[in-house]
Amino acid sequence: MQVVVFKVNDEQFAVEASKVQSINDMMEITKVPKSAVYIKGLINLRGNIISLLDINLLLEIEQGTLTQENIIILNLAEESVGVTVDQVDEVLEIEEDLVEKVETDKKRGYIKGVINFKDRIVTLIDIEKLIKK
């Protein structure tokens, strides 16, 4: 399985590469009045209008001091959605058995497990469950 590893406020997360459409640098965001608090706005990516979500709010992580540099465009069931992240670190090929299942409460049901590398632990998230919560 291939995963895209990204950083949000000093924590590393991963999402399955099959869900990732593209990785882009930060671009102009058009605010949407009276939208849900986790919606940062809309971006125009090569003529396609895409909703941009604040992953910090979705993951319930405080906003870091760094400016978010990257946008990950994800393919979900019917649409493409963007999330802003501090930085995209790498794309890795991992064995399924490296993912350790973790017991989570229902509120954190979007966590698929953790990938335990020798030097770090990366949380693998089910992006569809995270966005639908």
Side-chain angles (χ1 to χ4, degrees):
M1 157 174 55
Q2 272 196 329
V3 295
V4 176
V5 179
F6 60 91
K7 197 176 280 183
V8 177
N9 200 12
D10 289 335
E11 287 188 56
Q12 284 194 311
F13 294 93
V15 64
E16 289 176 46
S18 60
K19 303 275 187 214
V20 175
Q21 180 180 320
S22 65
I23 297 168
N24 302 280
D25 291 333
M26 191 52 75
M27 58 185 71
E28 187 178 336
I29 302 170
T30 304
K31 298 278 184 216
V32 180
K34 298 183 181 167
S35 61
V37 68
Y38 60 85
I39 296 177
K40 277 194 160 184
L42 301 173
I43 57 171
N44 183 338
L45 183 66
R46 296 184 285 283
N48 295 317
I49 304 301
I50 296 175
S51 299
L52 194 61
L53 308 180
D54 188 333
I55 200 158
N56 291 70
L57 289 175
L58 293 172
L59 292 171
E60 297 171 3
I61 296 175
E62 282 187 38
Q63 199 73 37
T65 53
L66 297 171
T67 11
Q68 293 186 315
E69 298 289 326
N70 297 114
I71 297 172
I72 300 176
I73 306 296
L74 301 155
N75 280 328
L76 302 181
E78 305 92 39
E79 63 179 320
S80 295
V81 173
V83 292
T84 54
V85 299
D86 294 354
Q87 82 185 44
V88 175
D89 290 335
E90 57 197 333
V91 177
L92 293 174
E93 184 71 45
I94 62 161
E95 297 298 321
E96 297 267 348
D97 58 358
L98 266 182
V99 179
E100 297 174 21
K101 299 285 183 232
V102 289
E103 288 298 316
T104 59
D105 53 35
K106 283 194 173 123
K107 198 170 122 186
R108 296 194 183 273
Y110 56 82
I111 296 177
K112 275 189 164 179
V114 293
I115 306 165
N116 194 351
F117 296 109
K118 290 180 181 67
D119 58 339
R120 63 199 163 128
I121 292 178
V122 177
T123 305
L124 180 62
I125 57 177
D126 183 329
I127 199 70
E128 289 184 354
K129 282 185 181 172
L130 176 65
I131 289 173
K132 287 180 179 156
K133 71 172 192 157

